[in-house]
Amino acid sequence: MRLRITFSKSGPLTYTSHLDLMRVWERALRRAGLPLAYSGGFNPRAKLQLAAALPLGHTGEAEVLDVWLEAGAGERGRGGEEGVAEALAAVLPDGLQVRQVRRVDEKEPALPTQVTAAEYLVTVEWGEPADEVEARIERLLAAAELPQERRGRRYDLRPLIERLWLEWAGEGKIVLGMQLAAREGATARPEAVLEVLGMGGAFARFHRLRLLTVECSRL
């Protein structure tokens, strides 16, 4: 049985690493009394798969985790996926909140392969008026290429920025909206976008709103 859990991550768990987050989920699922399915071999592991790792220090509104349970798990509690959500709500630590639990086809492709883009809201401490920020955005979007380097490898950031807009400006802060490619081997980081906007040195908070699939729909 394969369940897809949509959840938010914030507060105390903002600076929890990907590996630690997976351990938190495994412990919570066990405490909820859910019969986790495990891989075979000499070192069996719980069958959990996150759609896309959330960078350290980022918060997330609709993160997605696939969980494999042994047959019959969906009948616990008040029944079906609602029972699973209630069982998890009782044991999850502060900073994790279940938004939705639904059953998906066992034969569906691996969760990370379905993700094509991610949408962010980035709050930046920045004092420029809105028209000047929008001028920066227009220059970026008009660029033919944006050469960058990460971990010793050069790449062009421009085709990875699918959308970029000013959501709000005022009181010494701005909020930028970004839709960035998040495919295997073609992933853009919101920090890199701030760098090319000339805002790389400013304090910023990163919040991932949702993940998109090839059909441009939520997972």
Side-chain angles (χ1 to χ4, degrees), residues 65-84:
L65 175 75
D66 272 5
V67 177
W68 281 260
L69 304 178
E70 297 293 347
E75 303 305 319
R76 65 166 291 114
R78 290 199 299 171
E81 291 83 351
E82 183 181 359
V84 172

Side-chain angles (χ1 to χ4, degrees), residues 3-218:
L3 293 180
R4 181 155 297 161
I5 300 173
T6 303
F7 65 97
S8 62
K9 177 189 175 188
S10 61
L13 293 181
T14 300
Y15 291 93
T16 301
S17 70
H18 171 68
L19 289 178
D20 286 340
L21 178 63
M22 298 304 283
R23 294 187 187 103
V24 169
W25 269 111
E26 184 173 351
R27 286 196 300 268
L29 288 158
R30 287 176 176 172
R31 288 182 62 195
L34 298 172
L36 281 171
Y38 284 82
S39 62
F42 292 102
N43 186 27
R45 296 186 178 183
K47 296 180 70 175
L48 309 175
Q49 189 175 62
L50 200 63
L54 193 63
L56 203 65
H58 291 210
T59 55
E61 186 75 20
E63 301 301 295
V64 186
L65 175 75
D66 272 5
V67 177
W68 281 260
L69 304 178
E70 297 293 347
E75 303 305 319
R76 65 166 291 114
R78 290 199 299 171
E81 291 83 351
E82 183 181 359
V84 172
E86 290 182 352
L88 284 170
V91 298
L92 282 172
D94 290 344
L96 285 183
Q97 183 177 356
V98 173
R99 302 290 189 188
Q100 182 188 60
V101 178
R102 63 186 178 94
R103 191 167 182 169
V104 295
D105 192 332
E106 287 273 358
K107 297 180 181 179
E108 191 174 295
L111 194 48
T113 67
Q114 299 182 51
V115 179
T116 60
E119 190 173 300
Y120 295 86
L121 285 181
V122 181
T123 303
V124 189
E125 292 189 357
W126 197 255
E128 283 185 339
D131 58 347
E132 293 184 19
V133 176
E134 288 175 337
R136 289 175 181 262
I137 292 172
E138 288 174 7
R139 288 194 294 271
L140 183 154
L141 295 177
E145 58 180 358
L146 295 167
Q148 296 288 299
E149 184 173 325
R150 187 184 182 200
R151 297 175 182 172
R153 297 182 62 182
R154 296 188 63 79
Y155 69 99
D156 183 6
L157 178 63
R158 180 62 192 91
L160 306 181
I161 302 173
E162 298 180 357
R163 295 173 59 215
L164 177 63
W165 67 96
L166 177 63
E167 185 80 15
W168 180 84
E171 302 176 357
K173 295 180 181 178
I174 63 170
V175 179
L176 299 172
M178 304 180 187
Q179 183 174 311
L180 308 178
R183 303 180 299 276
E184 186 176 358
T187 297
R189 298 175 300 116
E191 293 92 335
V193 178
L194 291 188
E195 287 288 345
V196 296
L197 283 170
M199 302 177 183
F203 178 77
R205 293 188 298 273
F206 303 91
H207 184 67
R208 190 157 70 187
L209 283 175
R210 59 175 180 157
L211 298 167
L212 303 173
T213 64
V214 67
E215 295 86 6
C216 294
S217 60
R218 300 185 186 193

